[in-house]
């Protein structure tokens, strides 16, 4: 009853306010600057100080758009479409009961120059389109990969009549996708064991960075170096570890002489968590929080979300419940807790999802947690799954405001998984951080096959945690090891003292998940053992930590790369691929051709596995695209130092 009264009141208020909105409209056509053809599915976003939130529309098959019922004021329009450079036009005056026409030509990503032309419409002054691009500040400590020039100041008399402006030409940013937010954590240095013999880090089973990189390369571009996290490349492959039914983890270690660093050995350390069968998996309440804002309509992002959810529904059973909430400018529930056995209802709700509005991510996350909390399954899996491009232009302006809430919900047993979609207008920093604080995992879906891997092949591991706050520590024997370097895990590094501090959060590991780490070590002399591996973890329900210890014998070090097990070699190829993509100093001596040759040395059955075959293809794509000069060529004559220990130069 209250809801009906509220709706009626809203309708009355809307009718009362209608005269003020009347017929103020922005219309226009978007076409390609290349062939002048109209562009369909361009996302047009209107903002103004006089407008609450944003107005988002999408161009039709003829490239036309219409934004009606606008309050008078000065507007900014943003135009976004996959494979075209984004464009922002500011200082557009909109008067009461007037129509303004804004025609725009977007430049394809491959062009070296941008040409933007505008024309005026019914009763509207001509508009100056000298402004191209937009200025966006760093977001949550991340950096976007393009910095277009700021717009020029508005004309002194914007309402005066004037002839159409000339075409404007400006140089483009070298980066191919706009508004991609990443954060650099540097590159680990080589450490002398006389200075520090302990190496400690939190585990990470995510693989979003690898899928993001694949998305770049498949679109003909190198990834932003800051987008590359080596450990997520390494952990993207199955190395065939066997689990130990009598222990929480099995350990697999092997080493060989480094193909890229003379005098060093590569040490591969793999952990495999215990398996849990599908029948043994706990019942789950999954609350999907889905971004349906205008940006999710680009490149069919929402369509891919819906396909992924359909795959998941087929894998759940009568023990499980699914809820769905969406957010655009506001958040609202779409489906309350529904048994997965009622698949037709779930699929119908998924099919009804459509894109609209701004991006109030905080409202969506809070609604998801409220729904999960109200229908908590004691002793079961309670998971909020955020599906988004990570863009938050309404609601969240400072992510620090939600960390404590996310962390508190995780302590109650409601964990958070983030799944990213989209290339361009994507915030990797926010999505990764939310998953870390929410004690879940972070994935990126660039194509349906990746969704199948997450929701079908690895469903139990994705949902059921078997160990939390998992930390690894290697203590190197100074008599055996002179120097070492952990390859990757830069944003998971811990101080030696934090290993035994149960107050320090660390990574979560799902059933059957594996974790792999790569070290480079420089040996002094042969000894029985060269290091001691310690694993510290908590049970899924929390409590005090438990610790496992394993001595690493020198006998695991093989005499040559070719004498090593093929899966171990695969892990090195994956790590080296990531190192080259992020411009690591430590990979300066290994060429793309040599890297591909190492891939070719994998045994044929392994090379023919689809994911490994794809890795070889991506290496070739990166080789063809890489036009970077060697930033380290001039270091030797300028700097006198031990190059085994110099950190990366950025």
């Amino acid at each position: 009853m209250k809801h009906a009264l509220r709706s009626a009141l809203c309708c009355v208020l809307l009718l009362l306010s209608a005269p003020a909105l009347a017929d103020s409209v922005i219309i226009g056509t978007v076409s390609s600057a290349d062939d002048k053809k109209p562009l369909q599915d361009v996302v047009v976003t209107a903002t103004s100080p006089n407008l609450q939130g944003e107005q988002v529309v999408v161009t039709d098959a003829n490239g036309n758009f219409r934004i009606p019922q606008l309050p008078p004021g000065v507007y900014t329009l943003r135009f976004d479409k996959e494979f075209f450079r984004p464009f922002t036009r500011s200082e557009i005056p909109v008067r009461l009961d007037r129509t303004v026409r804004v025609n725009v030509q977007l430049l394809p990503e491959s062009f070296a120059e941008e040409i933007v032309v505008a024309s005026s419409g019914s009763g509207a002054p001509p508009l100056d389109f000298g402004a191209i691009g937009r200025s966006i500040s760093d977001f949550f400590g991340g950096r976007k990969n393009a910095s277009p020039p700021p717009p020029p100041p508005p004309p002194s008399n914007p309402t005066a009549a004037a002839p159409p402006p000339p075409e404007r030409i400006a140089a483009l940013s070298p980066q191919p996708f706009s508004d991609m937010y990443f954060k650099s954590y540097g590159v680990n240095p080589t450490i002398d064991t006389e200075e520090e013999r302990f190496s400690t880090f939190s585990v990470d089973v995510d693989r979003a960075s690898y899928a993001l990189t694949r998305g770049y390369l498949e679109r003909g571009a190198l990834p932003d170096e800051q987008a590359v996290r080596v450990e997520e490349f390494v952990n993207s492959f199955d190395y065939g570890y066997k689990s130990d039914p009598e222990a929480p983890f099995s350990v697999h270690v092997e080493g060989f002489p480094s193909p890229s660093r003379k005098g060093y050995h590569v040490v591969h350390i793999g952990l495999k968590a215990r398996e849990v069968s599908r029948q043994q998996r706990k019942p789950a309440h999954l609350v999907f929080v889905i971004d349906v804002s205008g940006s999710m309509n680009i490149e069919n992002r929402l369509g891919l979300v819906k396909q992924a959810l359909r795959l998941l529904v087929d894998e759940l059973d009568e023990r499980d419940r699914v809820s769905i909430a969406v957010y655009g400018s506001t958040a609202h529930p779409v489906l309350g807790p529904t048994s997965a056995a009622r698949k037709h209802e779930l699929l119908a709700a998924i099919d009804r999802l459509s894109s609209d509005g701004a991006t109030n991510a905080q409202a969506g996350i809070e609604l998801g947690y409220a729904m999960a909390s109200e229908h908590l399954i004691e002793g079961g899996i309670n998971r909020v799954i955020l599906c988004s491009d990570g863009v938050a232009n309404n609601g969240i302006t400072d992510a620090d405001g939600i960390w404590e809430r996310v962390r508190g919900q995780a302590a109650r047993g409601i964990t958070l998984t983030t799944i990213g979609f989209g290339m361009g207008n994507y915030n990797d920093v926010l999505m990764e951080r939310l998953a870390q604080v929410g004690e879940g995992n972070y994935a990126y879906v660039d194509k349906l096959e990746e969704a199948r891997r997450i929701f079908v092949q690895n469903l139990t591991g994705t949902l059921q945690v078997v160990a939390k706050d998992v930390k690894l520590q290697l203590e190197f024997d100074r008599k055996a090891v002179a120097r070492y370097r952990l390859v990757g895990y830069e944003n998971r590094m811990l101080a030696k003292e934090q290993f035994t501090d149960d107050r320090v959060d660390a990574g979560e590991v799902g059933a059957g998940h594996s974790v792999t780490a790569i070290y480079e070590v420089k040996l002094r002399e042969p000894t029985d053992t060269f290091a001691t591996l310690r694993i510290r973890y908590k049970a899924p329900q929390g409590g005090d930590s438990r610790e496992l210890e394993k001595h690493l014998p020198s006998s695991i070090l093989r005499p040559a790369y070719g004498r090593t097990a093929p899966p171990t070699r695969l892990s090195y190829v994956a790590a080296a691929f990531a190192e080259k993509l992020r411009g690591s100093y430590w990979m300066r001596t290994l060429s793309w051709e040599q890297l591909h040759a190492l891939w070719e040395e994998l045994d044929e059955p392994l090379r023919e596995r689809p994911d490994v075959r794809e890795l070889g293809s991506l290496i070739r794509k990166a080789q063809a695209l890489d036009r970077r000069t060697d930033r380290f060529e001039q270091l030797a004559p300028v700097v006198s130092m031990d190059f085994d220990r110099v950190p990366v130069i950025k």
Side-chain angles (χ1 to χ4, degrees):
M1 184 67 179
K2 290 182 179 179
H3 179 72
L5 290 173
R6 189 181 298 111
S7 299
L9 179 60
C10 289
C11 291
V12 172
L13 292 175
L14 182 61
L15 289 173
L16 290 175
S17 63
L21 299 178
D23 293 321
S24 298
V25 179
I26 298 178
I27 64 173
T29 302
V30 184
S31 58
S32 170
D34 183 9
D35 55 17
K36 305 302 185 286
K37 291 182 179 179
L39 295 177
Q40 186 177 3
D41 295 332
V42 178
V43 177
V44 185
T45 305
T47 57
S48 170
N50 295 347
L51 184 67
Q52 291 186 351
E54 300 175 338
Q55 285 273 50
V56 181
V57 298
V58 179
T59 57
D60 62 18
N62 297 315
N64 297 321
F65 69 92
R66 184 174 187 271
I67 311 176
Q69 294 186 328
L70 297 173
V74 179
Y75 283 77
T76 296
L77 293 185
R78 163 85 179 191
F79 300 84
D80 292 281
K81 182 173 175 60
E82 178 69 10
F83 304 124
F84 286 82
R85 302 201 66 81
F87 175 75
T88 299
R89 166 58 184 155
S90 58
E91 301 295 333
I92 303 173
V94 175
R95 303 178 190 172
L96 183 64
D97 296 338
R98 302 292 288 273
T99 296
V100 177
R101 172 173 286 277
V102 180
N103 293 342
V104 173
Q105 293 181 6
L106 297 185
L107 190 71
E109 293 283 1
S110 58
F111 271 41
E113 294 180 329
E114 180 170 0
I115 303 173
V116 182
V117 182
S119 64
S120 58
S122 173
L127 301 176
D128 177 13
F129 271 77
I132 64 170
R134 63 171 177 170
S135 298
I136 300 180
S137 60
D138 289 353
F139 194 47
F140 300 135
R143 179 184 65 82
K144 73 184 185 67
N145 66 5
S147 299
S156 57
N157 184 7
T159 60
E167 296 179 343
R168 304 299 180 100
I169 302 176
L172 292 180
S173 165
Q175 292 291 350
F177 300 107
S178 67
D179 304 347
M180 298 288 284
Y181 295 87
F182 303 107
K183 183 174 181 178
S184 174
Y185 298 93
V187 178
N188 284 335
T190 298
I191 298 173
D192 196 311
T193 55
E194 295 297 330
E195 298 175 4
E196 179 57 77
R197 70 180 189 275
F198 291 93
S199 173
T200 309
F201 63 97
S202 164
V203 303
D204 182 7
V205 297
D206 297 340
R207 56 169 285 166
S209 177
Y210 182 74
L212 261 167
T213 294
R214 182 173 58 203
Y216 269 99
L217 294 174
E218 294 290 356
R219 290 168 172 81
L222 285 177
D224 189 302
E225 291 181 5
Q226 296 182 110
V228 178
R229 294 182 288 272
V230 178
E231 65 278 7
E232 296 184 23
F233 277 57
V234 174
N235 286 320
S236 292
F237 296 92
D238 180 6
Y239 302 109
Y241 304 142
K242 301 298 182 183
S243 61
D244 185 348
E246 304 299 324
F249 296 100
S250 61
V251 179
H252 307 263
V253 186
E254 193 172 25
F256 54 90
S258 172
S260 59
R261 294 188 72 182
K262 186 177 180 180
Y264 280 77
H265 278 71
V266 174
V267 178
H268 165 118
I269 300 173
L271 272 63
K272 173 81 167 183
R274 66 179 177 85
E275 301 275 2
V276 173
S277 69
R278 178 172 178 172
Q279 294 73 25
Q280 293 173 318
R281 176 177 62 80
K282 296 178 181 179
H285 179 205
L286 308 181
V287 181
F288 285 91
V289 176
I290 302 171
D291 181 354
V292 295
S293 63
S295 63
M296 287 295 287
N297 203 39
I298 304 173
E299 66 173 0
N300 197 32
R301 300 177 188 187
L302 184 58
L304 188 54
V305 173
K306 293 162 74 170
Q307 287 179 289
L309 294 185
R310 281 181 158 273
L311 291 176
L312 174 66
V313 167
D314 286 339
E315 293 300 308
L316 300 176
D317 55 40
E318 64 280 355
R319 299 171 298 168
D320 306 314
R321 291 183 289 175
V322 174
S323 299
I324 300 176
V326 299
Y327 66 89
S329 300
T330 59
H332 63 272
V334 172
L335 185 72
T338 302
S339 170
R342 295 157 62 182
K343 296 187 186 299
H344 64 287
E345 293 183 35
L346 295 175
L347 295 176
I350 292 168
D351 289 341
R352 289 196 301 269
L353 299 176
S354 60
S355 178
D356 187 32
T359 315
N360 196 331
Q362 183 166 350
I365 293 170
E366 290 182 348
L367 175 59
Y369 276 126
M371 295 172 72
S373 181
E374 185 177 355
H375 303 280
L376 193 73
I377 299 178
E378 294 294 341
I381 299 168
N382 299 278
R383 182 72 60 96
V384 174
I385 302 177
L386 174 66
C387 299
S388 173
D389 56 17
V391 175
N393 53 23
N394 189 13
I396 295 180
T397 56
D398 181 356
D400 290 338
I402 67 170
W403 297 146
E404 288 307 314
R405 175 174 294 238
V406 172
R407 187 176 286 109
Q409 293 289 350
R412 292 189 58 210
I414 303 174
T415 53
L416 175 66
T417 286
T418 58
I419 302 179
F421 296 81
M423 184 65 67
N425 293 293
Y426 184 77
N427 193 325
D428 173 79
V429 182
L430 178 61
M431 296 294 276
E432 185 192 24
R433 180 63 177 153
L434 282 170
Q436 283 188 19
V437 175
E439 297 187 3
N441 38 41
Y442 167 37
Y444 175 85
V445 174
D446 60 328
K447 53 186 178 181
L448 191 59
E449 288 79 2
E450 185 68 14
R452 183 173 287 107
R453 187 198 68 82
I454 298 167
F455 290 136
V456 178
Q457 297 171 2
N458 297 333
L459 178 62
T460 299
T462 299
L463 298 180
Q464 184 155 332
V465 172
V466 296
K468 61 184 295 186
D469 290 336
V470 183
K471 308 170 191 174
L472 266 63
Q473 184 178 79
L474 245 66
E475 180 184 359
F476 290 98
D477 183 345
R478 288 173 174 158
K479 294 180 180 179
V481 177
R483 295 170 183 163
Y484 66 89
R485 184 173 83 96
L486 174 61
V487 184
Y489 291 94
E490 283 84 3
N491 65 337
R492 302 281 182 152
M493 299 299 291
L494 299 174
K496 175 178 64 177
E497 297 77 13
Q498 291 178 307
F499 182 70
T500 55
D501 188 347
D502 285 356
R503 297 170 299 177
V504 176
D505 290 335
E508 282 64 48
V509 177
H513 274 177
S514 60
V515 180
T516 302
I518 303 293
Y519 277 88
E520 293 175 330
V521 301
K522 189 168 188 177
L523 302 175
R524 294 187 193 273
E525 58 186 44
T527 57
D528 291 338
T529 62
F530 66 91
T532 299
L533 171 66
R534 297 184 180 93
I535 307 166
R536 197 170 180 89
Y537 68 97
K538 296 176 184 175
Q541 62 272 20
D544 295 334
S545 289
R546 307 169 189 178
E547 188 173 312
L548 302 175
E549 182 175 292
K550 182 178 179 63
H551 296 292
L552 305 186
S554 297
S555 60
I556 60 97
L557 301 176
R558 312 304 178 209
Y561 174 80
R563 299 282 296 276
T564 308
T568 301
R569 283 180 269 157
L570 172 62
S571 71
Y572 177 78
V573 172
F577 181 40
E579 286 272 83
K580 286 198 68 64
L581 285 170
R582 68 173 178 170
S584 171
Y585 168 83
W586 311 106
M587 204 52 59
R588 68 197 184 281
T589 60
L590 188 72
S591 68
W592 284 113
E593 198 63 46
Q594 290 169 324
L595 176 59
H596 193 269
L598 292 175
W599 175 85
E600 289 180 323
E601 287 187 39
L602 301 175
D603 289 3
E604 185 173 354
L606 183 59
R607 283 202 317 272
E608 291 304 311
R609 207 173 73 187
D611 58 335
V612 180
R613 186 169 61 248
E614 179 184 66
L615 173 63
S617 174
L618 294 178
I619 291 172
R620 281 301 195 198
K621 289 179 186 293
Q623 178 182 3
L625 292 167
D626 194 356
R627 296 293 181 268
R628 297 172 296 182
T629 57
D630 188 347
R631 71 188 74 179
F632 307 110
E633 285 179 351
Q634 300 178 0
L635 281 179
V638 176
V639 183
S640 175
M641 63 173 67
D642 180 353
F643 278 95
D644 277 342
R645 304 182 62 224
V646 65
V648 70
I649 306 279
K650 285 287 186 183

